[in-house]
Amino acid sequence: MNYKHAYHAGNFADVAKHVLLLQLLAQFSAKGKPFYVLDAYGGRGLYSLQSTEAAKTGEADRGIRALESADITNPPKAIAQYLLDLQTARKTYDQYVYPGSPWWIANHSLNHSQDAALRAEAFEAVADEYDALNYQLHQLPIGIHHRDAFEGVPAVLPPKEKRGIILLDPPFEQEHKDFGRLVDLLTVSHKKFATGTFVLWYPIKNKEAVTLFHKKMKRTEIRRQLICELNLYPNDVAVGMNGTGLYIINPPWQFDEHAKDILRTLAPILKPADAPTMSLDEMAVVKWLVGE
């Protein structure tokens, strides 16, 4: 995968990831207690769907544009909120903008400040991406730091709020190596913040790498590990990225049921026309790797 997320902004993986992120944020805010959110791979913050990179891949056509053109009756609240927030972004910037995760977090903070105080931060290690992130989101309620996730995440844990979401959205340029390092990072970070909610996004294009990652995480004996996957192509079809996943430690109560509803709604909408037939259970996978 190309590190520059501009090639992939607004694709099916972004849609699933950001809707599920909004579901997490909503459930945290509902408790009415202060919490902390860290986006450890902030990227640029905002992307243009008219950019040369976006036009080259056309991935947004099979992602956000497919969702917006769909006729959904009574969508899950997180999907409705996602589409509403996207309209807010377009009114604020322009009609072709697609926000990255730091924007969704900061916008949630603005809209729900009366529910629960949210302290948000974003790290970005790549200098050009950090400069863009800092420039584009500097007026929003989120701290921007030029910092590497592997150094920075353990250093800021545990947060003073004692409640929090740590989002890891790495580029996965070398899957087997990256998954191995992330197991170590999650293990170390969980020891420092055992009650925290850790969220790792991952691409599903090399099923062996994903399966090995799951096995390694299971061996850590960390409790409450949830897998949420949206599979648009079977594993034996070579298409670049067959699906997208979120691995979550300590999700809020009933988040798994909300996630299942969200992914089962998104699956038939985001499924490409050329994809082989798959059952809804195969496409929308929500299961506990390690339960209570």
Side-chain angles (χ1 to χ4, degrees), residues 1-291:
M1 297 181 69
N2 191 298
Y3 177 81
K4 289 187 177 180
H5 192 66
Y7 287 95
H8 314 293
N11 68 0
F12 77 92
D14 261 1
V15 172
K17 174 179 63 180
H18 291 145
V19 173
L20 290 172
L21 173 61
L22 289 182
Q23 178 63 42
L24 283 170
L25 291 169
Q27 290 190 240
F28 265 75
S29 292
K31 282 203 169 183
K33 298 179 181 179
F35 66 105
Y36 171 70
V37 180
L38 170 63
D39 186 341
Y41 292 85
R44 301 181 69 83
L46 298 171
Y47 302 89
S48 174
L49 298 184
Q50 269 201 323
S51 69
T52 301
E53 295 92 342
K56 185 175 181 179
T57 63
E59 291 187 17
D61 292 342
R62 302 182 296 276
I64 181 54
R65 290 185 177 126
L67 177 60
E68 287 189 294
S69 63
D71 183 13
I72 314 174
T73 303
N74 297 321
K77 288 183 179 179
I79 293 179
Q81 188 63 56
Y82 169 81
L83 292 171
L84 185 63
D85 289 353
L86 183 59
Q87 290 304 313
T88 297
R90 288 173 176 169
K91 290 176 182 177
T92 304
Y93 306 104
D94 65 62
Q95 62 179 321
Y96 301 108
V97 74
Y98 186 83
S101 301
W103 183 90
W104 296 99
I105 294 166
N107 183 66
H108 180 88
S109 179
L110 284 173
N111 294 336
H112 295 269
S113 58
Q114 74 280 5
D115 299 328
L118 163 57
R119 181 170 65 92
E121 293 185 301
F123 294 168
E124 179 50 56
V126 178
D128 290 346
E129 300 293 290
Y130 162 76
D131 289 342
L133 177 64
N134 193 41
Y135 173 76
Q136 296 191 124
L137 300 191
H138 75 280
Q139 293 183 320
L140 294 179
I142 184 168
I144 309 297
H145 307 279
H146 189 195
R147 198 164 189 179
D148 176 74
F150 287 90
E151 172 275 325
V153 172
V156 300
L157 298 179
K160 61 184 180 182
E161 293 83 358
K162 307 303 180 185
R163 302 175 64 229
I165 300 170
I166 311 302
L167 174 63
L168 303 168
D169 182 8
F172 282 100
E173 294 172 311
Q174 296 177 294
E175 282 177 279
H176 281 287
K177 180 179 179 181
D178 291 337
F179 271 128
R181 295 183 69 203
L182 287 162
V183 170
D184 294 338
L185 176 60
L186 286 165
T187 303
V188 169
S189 299
H190 180 263
K191 286 180 179 178
K192 301 195 71 173
F193 188 30
T195 59
T197 295
F198 294 86
V199 182
L200 170 68
W201 172 83
Y202 58 88
I204 302 174
K205 57 177 182 172
N206 182 337
K207 192 61 178 178
E208 289 182 1
V210 173
T211 300
L212 182 58
F213 164 67
H214 290 164
K215 288 180 178 178
K216 287 182 176 180
M217 287 308 308
K218 194 169 185 177
R219 291 191 199 113
T220 66
E221 298 185 354
I222 294 173
R223 297 177 61 191
R224 305 194 72 244
Q225 301 182 45
L226 182 70
I227 296 169
C228 302
E229 294 182 347
L230 178 62
N231 298 290
L232 300 186
Y233 289 90
N235 295 325
D236 58 355
V237 178
V239 291
M241 190 159 73
N242 299 60
T244 180
L246 282 188
Y247 162 86
I248 307 173
I249 297 173
N250 289 332
W253 182 62
Q254 291 191 330
F255 174 82
D256 55 338
E257 294 302 319
H258 290 294
K260 187 179 298 183
D261 191 20
I262 288 167
L263 294 181
R264 289 176 73 90
T265 301
L266 292 177
I269 295 170
L270 301 180
K271 181 179 181 292
D274 66 344
T277 299
M278 298 172 66
S279 70
L280 202 52
D281 288 338
E282 291 174 309
M283 296 176 68
V285 178
V286 178
K287 63 181 181 180
W288 289 96
L289 181 63
V290 179

